[in-house]
Amino acid sequence: MRRMSNFVLDSLATSSSSSSRLGRWTVSSSGGETPLSVPTPAFLVHTLGGSVPHLTADVLLQHVFPEQRPPLLVSIDNCATFVDSVAQFGSGIAKFAGLPQFPVFLSPHNPGKKVLPSGYNIGESVALWGRRGKTALTVAEHQRIVAAFKPQFFQTLSDYDISSTSGLKRMKKSTTRTLEFLDKTTSGSSNGADLFATVELGWFKVDGEEANKTVKAMLTNKLDAIKGFIISGQGLTCAEVYLSGSSGRMIPEGVTLSLSPNKTEGQKKGPMNNKKRTQMDTEKKSSLNSTPVEDKADEDDKSTDSTKTSDLDYAAISEVVALLPAHLPRYVPGPLSPYEILELVLLGVDLFDSSWVTASADLGHVLVLDELTKYFPDGHEVKINNESLPGGKNGDEGTNSSNETGCTISIKDKKYFSDFTPLSSSCSCYTCRKHTKSYLNHLYATEELLGPVLVMIHNLTSFNTMMATIRHVVKKDAGVSSQTESSTSSQESLDRLKQCLKPC
Amino acid sequence: MLHGLRMAKSSPALQFKVLAECPVTKARTSLMTLPHGTVETPVFMPVGTQGTLKGLLPEQLEQLGCHIMLGNTYHLGNRPGIELIKEAGGLHNFMNWNRSLLTDSGGFQMVSLLELAEITEDGVKFKSPYDGSECMMTPEHSIQIQNTLGADIIMQLDDVVSSTTTGPRVEEAMHRTIRWLDRCIAAHQNPEKQNLFPIVQGGLNPELRKACAKELIKRDTPGFAIGGLSGGESKDDFWKMVHISTDILPNHKPRYLMGVGFAEDLGCDMYDCVFPTRTARFGSALTFTGQVNLKHQKFKNDFTPVDPECPCSTCKTYTKAYIHAIATHETMACHLLTVHNITFQMRLMKRIRESIKEATFVEFVRNFMFGLYPSKNYPKWSQDALNAVGISLL
């Protein structure tokens, strides 16, 4: 039975200041049940090892997605150690990971990664970086994995090793190889899964003309096979990094990289050792988690500070979007904050992922959308008055901080030590119904496992609310909304939304 | 074998009703009613050290059938501290756990975790882990902290001695424990809502144990704990001390064996142990046929659940192969195994209680031990302990 995947555009923005779209993405789940309709803009649920971080299936189903079935974003790099098991299992990754109800989107790399080593895409393969170091993936191997994982969608391989400092030779290699990968993948079997083609942002920073030609080649030759586009490379640094030991594991983020191989023992250089080395940008470094975590050499970067200035390359993304056909969805992977997501929606991007939520749970950054839900109750289904939670001063407002720091608060902050109000007064998730900021503060202070569990529940729920609100405003913007009681213009709504999600 | 309606009347905050007794061993199953609800015994109490049970939602714990859990006074006294918990209205409120809680005195952790913990007649002298200043934990102070935490059952501060210690120190500690009990009782502000349990000490000396138990009984407390037996002592000595203690302690009051997760046959009603939750975090699952270390390569392609008969969400949804794949990589693996191991403990306790009611406890024990040791290589101390109460293994 052929699985359906249709993307239907419901509307395009009417205002000149935005290119946002509303769509409906029909996807089927691996269970073969009736297809689901995912309204876009939407987010894919970030996973690690196939599971939503910190959340077991029953907690996810009971407390985050009791009815919705958003597609999971599964990445081959952090599943590399058990690919064979999935193949032998025979029923696909969703079922293997205990989430058979959810459709799967299979990407090569974890979008939460902000740094990938440069110089390892050689021969006919692409380097993936996981827990045990490097895996070299050829198209044939990739197809084997797609067959084993049985996703509804998968992303083609691309040569991601491209940045603004790359030379023309590297550029040519990257585009040529990526087109080859696409070619081979489309002529092979896709096992009924829908293919998303990868376009590298980096191309547009090195040689715009060549980049244009490459995308046009994809559109000319392969459009029939392509069901969506991935605009890859946002926020990614491809740097020459030293690898520790023979396992080829990346040095943990935040550790100062040495340019001289003599300083540290047992290190291997990348093969391009006669090329001019690039040290990691200090700007980029400041946004990295500066605590090296042992044994997590390939863990994601964890900066989710919504107060930092965005390093989104709007111009480049715009340029890519302009080349792409309107009728196919566009996905920009990466740990994008709510504000960045909104900006990209306005540029015409349809799909995102929740890798930002994953990082925020570990850092204790909590999404507080009180402002948002005050102004946009429609984007949020249940309006609830939280019963006063057990605690001391629960009659008080608590620390009103959502204005101070944009739409996130850092629950580890001392000021929440004795704050007995819920994380968000307008949220009805389990965490907000049952627990206080004070308790969460304690859980993070003591590094208890329950902290990230509770914040994950809350942040995913809030992220969902945020997306629904964005759709609501886009709908208004497109003149589709039939709200008669609303007196604000769509531009006012948009401005207000930006204000609510804006970092300080 | 209904025991009738003898109830402990010494505490307004605890009713203990023995429902059935095993005719052969000393095992019994009872109902213990505390201010936050009724608990069926024998009961396994998971340890929620810092006001949380390692990654599980309080709601999940309730769903698993847990009615009472532990909090550690020492840890909570450090973080978040007593003042904050007082402001929050007590530990139940702070954690949002509305069933029963038991707190320890803080003494054991201090002695085991802190350098220069020195025991004097006044109390335990130690150096603050934060600023190095000298602090004193007295019996009065421990009770004051526990009164603030508000647990249904609180423990006296005892003079804890390592079970491998011998000599006059053991006797000194035993006598001091009795004196400290009296000070704890005098300091206890909340007998209407909180039950203070004394702790039987005496090391591995039968005479000291008996003497201690007899003295404690005179104080008419709502229940008793047996302490000093979860350390490095040999198992042979361990069960004998439990046996002696339960022989003397009155039948109609609950007995809490501290820091141990078994020995129902010897007549204890309450147990706590970090082992099931700790071993979960190291990738090990508990089953009726022994421990299953899921990190082992042999489970890489084992697509069966950890225990096909286990009703927990982990066994209903996940295979050993998947847990193997993510064990130690994803925190979720800890949660999956914690859920399973707690469920296991609950199932085990339930089977024990049912078998006592049905007068089939002896058969249960035999089958249980046989399940763990199918080639009958039972540990000697288990055989001895069981023989002492009339059970011969298969």
Side-chain angles (χ1 to χ4, degrees), chain A residues 48-49 51 54-59 62-63 81-82 85 88-89 96-98 131 390-393 417-418 420 430 434-435 438-439 442-443 445-446 448 450 453-454, chain B residues 50-52 54-60 63 76 79-80 84 87-88 93-96 281 300-301 303 313 317-319 321-322 325-326 329-332 334-336:
Chain A
L48 292 173
S51 288
H54 309 297
L55 302 183
T56 58
D58 62 307
V59 169
Q62 220 182 332
H63 297 299
T81 54
F82 56 88
S85 297
Q88 217 174 310
F89 179 65
F96 191 56
R131 193 159 296 278
K393 307 173 185 149
F417 180 68
S418 54
F420 298 109
Y430 177 89
K434 303 276 191 173
H435 295 293
S438 171
Y439 185 58
H442 166 68
L443 293 177
T446 51
E448 280 288 340
L450 187 59
V453 172
L454 290 174
Chain B
Q50 302 193 96
T52 157
K54 296 296 179 231
L56 296 194
L57 309 173
E59 190 179 275
Q60 277 177 298
Q63 286 166 353
L76 292 167
R79 300 184 295 193
L84 193 269
E87 239 184 282
N93 276 355
F94 183 60
M95 303 167 54
N96 205 4
R281 297 196 298 286
K300 200 167 153 62
N301 294 318
F303 303 118
S313 52
T317 316
Y318 296 90
T319 61
Y322 185 68
I326 61 166
H329 302 332
E330 302 302 328
T331 63
M332 212 202 77
C334 301
H335 306 327
L336 290 181

Side-chain angles (χ1 to χ4, degrees), chain A residues 166-184:
Chain A
S166 300
L168 290 177
K169 198 168 152 195
R170 176 88 281 274
M171 165 83 184
K172 189 77 184 151
K173 271 245 164 222
S174 175
T175 51
T176 310
R177 296 175 82 235
T178 303
L179 284 176
E180 268 167 26
F181 294 145
L182 179 60
D183 193 39
K184 281 195 187 145

